[in-house]
Amino acid sequence: MTGTLAGALEARGIPSHPDKLWTEAEGTIEAPERVMRLTTMRVTYHLRIPQGKRADAERALAVFERGCPIAQTLKGCVEISHAWEITEE
């Protein structure tokens, strides 16, 4: 998902490297039917963006999941929540 977000940011003229984008993720493993599986995933994206690019960054964050093959694969199987922290440099 981070790679797809990086592409969405780059398409809007927001550099994603070096050290401009990193991700923290945590998940919950449960056994609702006596078989362990990942049920939820919380992903936090940390972005350092140029001044004046916040609206573009927020737009990328709002839409990137639609084009992300991993997110689309997990959709309906794992509840994914996204959060972000944006720092303008």
Side-chain angles (χ1 to χ4, degrees):
M1 289 187 271
T2 303
T4 302
L5 176 58
L9 291 168
E10 296 279 346
R12 289 164 175 81
I14 301 171
S16 62
H17 60 84
D19 301 326
K20 303 291 185 189
L21 168 65
W22 70 97
T23 303
E24 294 177 81
E26 62 181 343
T28 302
I29 297 173
E30 299 176 296
E33 297 171 8
R34 302 183 66 139
V35 177
M36 292 178 42
R37 68 181 185 96
L38 181 65
T39 56
T40 62
M41 187 164 47
R42 294 163 297 281
V43 185
T44 303
Y45 304 95
H46 302 271
L47 288 80
R48 290 186 185 149
I49 63 171
Q51 291 284 335
K53 291 296 230 174
R54 179 175 288 272
D56 291 334
E58 289 177 343
R59 176 71 180 146
L61 287 158
V63 302
F64 84 94
E65 187 177 7
R66 285 185 247 156
C68 177
I70 298 301
Q72 292 304 309
T73 299
L74 297 175
K75 188 176 180 178
C77 299
V78 177
E79 180 182 329
I80 304 172
S81 62
H82 303 275
W84 50 83
E85 292 180 9
I86 299 174
T87 302
E88 292 186 64
E89 299 182 315

